[in-house]
């Protein structure tokens, strides 16, 4: 079995983490990485033929095009993107709106219901969700990897109040995780010790101060260890190459 | 032939010298419906006002037209920009100046005002359906319900804060009177926009009763509302209109056509009298435009209940009329009183209407 990690820009930290993890190295499991800019995964084509699934979209300006073939039913496909909540919590709307739970602390903001948030987020992730369901239907072994919690530097960068940002982030993660688990798709969560008070702790943040949502190599190690552990548990027979 | 004979002078009577619009033969029977004019003198300086709307389903069209016209239309609970237009409307955004949903009766309006200013607090305020919760006072604004009663109440408080701000800030409130029939709580006389059990909640005859509001009650509701509004906003004006949309269903023992005529007659009478009795209250005849003889009911859709877009356009043509003195100033060319005709879309004429759900129970 090969672990095939594919998805958005978080794949880069996972690749770096895999290269730095002793546990991953000792497992002997082959791991493949395919990462593309997250915008590719908002809307893409899902093409089926001969039991294989191809996802693609026309190139975005200045971005490497998405064109990925899923054709190995014996492998574990690990998808990074659908739990990526940055598009939800960094939306400029949150400068003037807030989830209803934050209304009391933010009386100057318009509050929105959970149903409204759900409507929006479900629409945003629908294409990726459809892909995962299709993979399950075709018998592929698939899991979703969670990105790091928001970085502490983000609220100031976007001008969004921290409590509002965290409420949206947590709503997105809870909603999509529940959708996935209801559909039988495993979620590989971020370890509890990598975050505190809703934010990624500094030790796991990207060292690039301009980076607003990625983890560093240490985070990548943590996550890839979990990915491999999941692979060992979910696939009792692993052929080590 | 006696061509030099002097014509005997006509006896003087009060109808002489009246304007043409006072005479049926000339003003109604003689012309085509598209030539009908003079029904409304307009609201002076409307384009300078901050306008808010509320009322029954038909009021949604007025709000939309006011926005399209580019007036200063107040929307104190805008949709979050990440929602599509369709989803925004489905969640009750962009329909009125606040997300109060349809306000069908004057009692409902007065109670909303009282609640916004802390003068009443409905006891039976959350209705359930399956595992979802609905705001009983505006059950149509969140079609899938809320996650919890706590959420309903929290959002209602922020909504009421916006309603307070709206009533304080507006210059003119355009209110469309829709119904006289309503369902009322036995506990505290709260009036609901729709019967319990239709969207959510459970109809228990021990908890709710039917009431068909009568002229004196409706008049008093509006009187109190006007006084309350002017206490917080002395400059506020009111523009009343009566919805031409018939009842979807009646809870009286009468035929629905009879019940409709009763309701609309009472509402029309009250609206007219309030406009006469109170300074700064105007009456706009959308009811007459749609139901009056010249239209020959052409403004209704085949269901003879909902108003088609052409009918809405015709109503707004009369709405955006110049005052008589401004009409005299116009030179030849496109008349400024021409309403901006919206480009037809598949959603034209569509209303968010809980009352229409009552028809689902028809045999």
């Amino acid at each position: 079995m090969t672990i095939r990690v594919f998805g958005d820009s978080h794949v880069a930290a996972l690749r770096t983490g895999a290269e730095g993890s002793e546990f991953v190295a000792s497992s002997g499991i082959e791991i493949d990485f395919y990462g593309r800019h997250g915008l590719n995964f908002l809307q893409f084509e899902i093409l089926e033929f001969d039991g294989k699934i191809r996802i693609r979209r026309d190139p975005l300006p200045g971005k490497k095009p998405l064109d990925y073939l899923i054709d190995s039913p014996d492998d574990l496909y690990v998808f990074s993107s659908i739990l990526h909540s940055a598009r939800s919590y960094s939306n400029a709307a949150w400068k003037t709106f807030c989830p209803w739970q934050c209304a009391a602390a933010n009386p100057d903001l318009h509050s929105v219901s959970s149903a409204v948030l759900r409507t929006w987020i479900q629409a945003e992730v629908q294409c990726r969700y459809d892909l995962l369901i299709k993979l399950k239907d075709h018998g592929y072994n698939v899991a979703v990897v969670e990105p790091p919690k928001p970085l502490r530097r983000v609220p100031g960068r976007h001008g969004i109040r921290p409590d509002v940002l965290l409420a949206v982030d947590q709503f997105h993660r809870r909603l999509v995780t529940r959708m996935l688990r209801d559909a039988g798709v495993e979620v590989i969560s971020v370890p509890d010790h990598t975050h505190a008070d809703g934010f990624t702790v500094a030790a796991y943040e990207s060292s690039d101060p301009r980076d607003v949502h990625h983890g560093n190599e240490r985070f990548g190690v943590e996550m890839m260890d979990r990915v491999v552990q999941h692979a060992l548990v979910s696939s009792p027979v692993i052929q080590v190459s | 032939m006696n061509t030099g004979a002097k014509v005997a002078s006509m006896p003087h009577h009060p109808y002489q010298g009246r304007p043409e619009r006072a005479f049926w033969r000339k003003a109604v029977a003689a012309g085509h419906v598209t030539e009908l004019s003079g029904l409304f003198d307009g609201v002076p300086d409307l384009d300078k006002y901050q306008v808010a709307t509320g009322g029954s389903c038909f009021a949604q069209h007025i709000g939309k037209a006011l926005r399209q016209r580019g007036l200063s239309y107040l929307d104190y609970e805008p949709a979050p920009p990440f929602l599509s237009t369709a989803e925004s409307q489905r969640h009750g955004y962009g329909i009125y100046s606040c997300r109060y949903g349809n306000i069908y009766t004057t009692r409902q309006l007065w109670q909303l005002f009282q609640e916004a200013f802390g003068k009443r607090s409905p006891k039976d305020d959350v209705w359930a359906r399956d595992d979802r919760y609905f705001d009983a006072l505006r059950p149509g604004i969140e079609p899938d319900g809320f996650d919890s009663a706590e959420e309903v109440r929290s959002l209602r408080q922020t909504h009421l804060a916006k309603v307070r701000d709206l009533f304080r800030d507006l210059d003119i409130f355009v209110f469309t009177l829709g119904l006289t029939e309503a369902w009322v709580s036995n506990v505290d006389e709260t009036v609901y926009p729709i019967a319990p059990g239709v969207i959510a909640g459970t109809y228990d005859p021990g908890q709710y009763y039917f009431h068909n509001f009568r002229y004196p009650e409706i008049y008093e509701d509006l009187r109190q509302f006007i006084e309350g509004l002017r206490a917080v906003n002395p400059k506020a004006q009111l523009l009343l209109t009566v919805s031409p949309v018939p009842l979807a269903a009646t809870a009286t023992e009468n035929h629905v056509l009879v019940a409709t005529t009763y309701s609309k007659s009472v509402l029309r009478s009250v609206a007219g009298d309030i406009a006469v009795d109170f300074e700064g209250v105007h009456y706009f005849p959308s009811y007459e435009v749609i139901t009056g003889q010249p239209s020959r009911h052409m403004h209704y859709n085949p269901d003879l209940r909902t108003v088609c877009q052409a009918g809405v356009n015709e109503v707004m043509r009369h709405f955006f009329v110049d005052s008589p003195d401004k009409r005299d100033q116009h030179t030849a060319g496109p008349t400024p009183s021409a309403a901006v005709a919206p480009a037809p879309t598949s959603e034209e004429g569509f209303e968010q209407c809980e009352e229409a759900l009552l028809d689902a129970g028809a045999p």
Side-chain angles (χ1 to χ4, degrees):
Chain A
M1 178 188 86
T2 300
I3 298 175
R4 300 188 183 276
V5 181
F6 73 104
D8 58 13
S9 55
H10 289 290
V11 170
L14 298 175
R15 184 204 311 263
T16 309
E19 290 165 357
S21 166
E22 289 177 10
F23 177 72
V24 171
S26 66
S27 72
I29 298 176
E30 190 175 325
I31 307 179
D32 182 66
F33 293 91
Y34 181 93
R36 289 294 184 268
H37 193 285
L39 286 176
N40 282 293
F41 294 94
L42 298 182
Q43 285 295 330
F44 51 89
E45 287 180 86
I46 303 173
L47 306 166
E48 302 174 58
F49 58 98
D50 301 331
K52 303 172 189 177
I53 309 280
R54 179 185 172 204
I55 58 172
R56 67 162 304 280
R57 68 160 292 157
D58 289 340
L60 292 166
K63 310 276 187 284
K64 277 167 96 173
L66 169 68
D67 196 340
Y68 187 64
L69 184 64
I70 300 158
D71 61 353
S72 307
D74 295 332
D75 295 339
L76 169 65
Y77 286 88
V78 177
F79 184 48
S80 170
S81 170
I82 195 170
L83 277 167
H84 185 165
S85 51
R87 268 183 65 84
S88 299
Y89 64 63
S90 63
N91 191 290
W94 302 119
K95 295 181 186 179
T96 50
F97 289 80
C98 68
W100 71 270
Q101 299 91 333
C102 303
N106 299 279
D108 57 322
L109 301 181
H110 298 287
S111 52
V112 298
S113 66
S114 297
V116 164
L117 263 185
R118 196 175 297 121
T119 295
W120 173 46
I121 293 172
Q122 283 178 334
E124 281 271 300
V125 306
Q126 192 63 48
C127 189
R128 286 166 278 177
Y129 179 78
D130 290 345
L131 168 66
L132 294 167
I133 296 302
K134 206 166 279 290
L135 291 177
K136 289 286 290 181
D137 288 347
H138 281 71
Y140 286 99
N141 189 5
V142 61
V144 165
V145 65
E146 188 182 12
K149 304 292 188 186
L151 308 188
R152 210 167 276 277
R153 64 179 77 119
V154 170
R157 188 71 54 83
H158 290 300
I160 295 170
R161 300 172 196 184
D163 60 330
V164 174
L165 185 146
L166 287 181
V168 178
D169 170 67
Q170 287 161 18
F171 187 94
H172 180 118
R173 289 175 197 254
R174 268 199 313 269
L175 170 68
V176 177
T177 297
R178 193 168 59 240
M179 285 168 62
L180 294 171
R181 289 195 169 139
D182 287 350
V185 177
E186 284 297 319
V187 174
I188 302 167
S189 308
V190 298
D192 288 344
H193 60 266
T194 64
H195 57 93
D197 304 321
F199 291 103
T200 294
V201 300
Y204 297 97
E205 285 181 352
S206 167
S207 56
D208 184 348
R210 298 166 302 173
D211 191 324
V212 288
H213 51 248
H214 293 108
N216 57 13
E217 180 187 331
R218 195 171 160 189
F219 179 82
V221 168
E222 295 274 354
M223 291 311 298
M224 285 312 301
D225 286 354
R226 287 193 152 206
V227 168
V228 170
Q229 281 167 357
H230 172 81
L232 292 171
V233 166
S234 67
S235 301
V237 178
I238 293 177
Q239 294 168 1
V240 176
S241 58
Chain B
M1 187 159 46
N2 185 2
T3 57
K6 222 178 175 180
V7 176
S9 61
M10 296 287 291
H12 177 71
H13 64 77
Y15 288 84
Q16 284 177 317
R18 305 273 303 138
E20 187 174 286
R21 71 177 187 175
F23 297 92
W24 189 272
R25 182 173 55 83
K26 288 181 186 172
V28 177
H32 189 263
V33 62
T34 55
E35 296 166 344
L36 194 63
S37 65
L39 270 67
F40 181 56
D41 291 334
V43 177
D45 298 323
L46 180 63
D47 54 348
K48 298 185 175 59
Y49 287 158
Q50 300 203 99
V51 184
T53 62
S56 71
C57 310
F58 189 74
Q60 298 173 24
H61 298 295
I62 297 179
K64 202 184 299 185
L66 293 174
R67 262 181 289 219
Q68 286 172 337
R69 181 81 170 186
L71 294 177
S72 290
Y73 181 82
L74 298 178
D75 183 352
Y76 274 35
E77 292 190 271
F82 50 72
L83 276 185
S84 67
T85 303
E87 281 295 349
S88 297
Q89 285 198 331
R90 200 174 76 84
H91 286 275
Y93 288 102
I95 297 177
Y96 297 116
S97 296
C98 272
R99 258 175 110 207
Y100 23 66
N102 292 315
I103 304 173
Y104 291 103
T105 62
T106 54
R107 183 61 55 89
Q108 200 189 330
L109 173 66
W110 172 227
Q111 288 186 345
L112 171 66
F113 184 90
Q114 290 178 293
E115 194 186 350
F117 287 91
K119 300 288 172 46
R120 79 185 310 273
S121 183
K123 293 186 171 45
D124 181 16
D125 58 340
V126 179
W127 287 349
R129 186 186 75 208
D130 302 326
D131 59 348
R132 308 294 296 163
Y133 299 86
F134 293 78
D135 185 333
L137 283 306
R138 45 175 192 161
I141 64 130
E142 198 64 75
D144 303 322
F146 296 90
D147 289 358
S148 65
E150 183 195 356
E151 183 180 7
V152 173
R153 293 187 174 112
S154 171
L155 283 162
R156 185 159 186 82
Q157 288 309 307
T158 55
H159 159 65
L160 290 172
K162 298 299 181 190
V163 172
R164 265 197 303 281
D165 291 343
L166 180 75
F167 282 137
R168 285 190 179 121
D169 295 345
L170 58 84
D171 292 317
I172 187 162
F173 183 53
V174 181
F175 183 67
T176 302
L177 295 98
L179 299 177
T180 56
E181 297 188 19
W183 289 88
V184 188
S185 166
N186 260 329
V187 173
D188 62 358
E189 305 297 312
T190 294
V191 170
Y192 299 97
I194 193 81
V198 176
I199 293 177
T202 306
Y203 172 59
D204 174 356
Q207 270 191 277
Y208 307 97
Y209 69 91
F210 168 71
H211 186 63
N212 200 359
F213 287 96
R214 303 184 67 178
Y215 180 105
E217 295 169 300
I218 299 168
Y219 187 99
E220 181 62 9
D221 287 339
L222 280 178
R223 186 195 68 75
Q224 291 188 92
F225 171 73
I226 291 167
E227 288 189 357
L229 178 62
R230 290 198 172 146
V232 301
N233 183 352
K235 66 177 174 4
Q237 297 191 49
L238 202 60
L239 179 70
L240 298 175
T241 192
V242 175
S243 167
V245 178
L247 274 59
T250 179
T252 69
E253 296 307 312
N254 291 321
H255 190 283
V256 68
L257 181 58
V258 173
T260 294
T261 304
Y262 170 80
S263 286
K264 301 302 177 180
S265 303
V266 169
L267 294 172
R268 174 61 186 91
S269 302
V270 171
D273 285 351
I274 290 277
V276 168
D277 294 345
F278 289 86
E279 195 71 36
V281 179
H282 316 269
Y283 173 73
F284 171 64
S286 54
Y287 184 80
E288 285 85 335
V289 170
I290 298 299
T291 66
Q293 281 85 339
S295 73
R296 292 171 170 82
H297 300 303
M298 71 170 77
H299 297 313
Y300 285 105
N301 285 315
D303 64 6
L304 296 179
R305 182 173 177 270
T306 52
V307 178
C308 64
Q309 187 57 45
V312 173
N313 292 348
E314 188 61 10
V315 166
M316 300 320 296
R317 178 174 75 79
H318 288 276
F319 187 94
F320 292 116
V321 72
D322 293 317
S323 56
D325 52 333
K326 274 196 182 172
R327 273 184 229 134
D328 295 338
Q329 295 167 14
H330 288 154
T331 54
T335 165
S337 64
V340 175
T345 70
S346 60
E347 291 173 359
E348 291 298 354
F350 172 74
E351 296 164 346
Q352 302 270 18
C353 189
E354 301 97 333
E355 213 228 334
L357 297 173
L358 299 177
D359 204 16

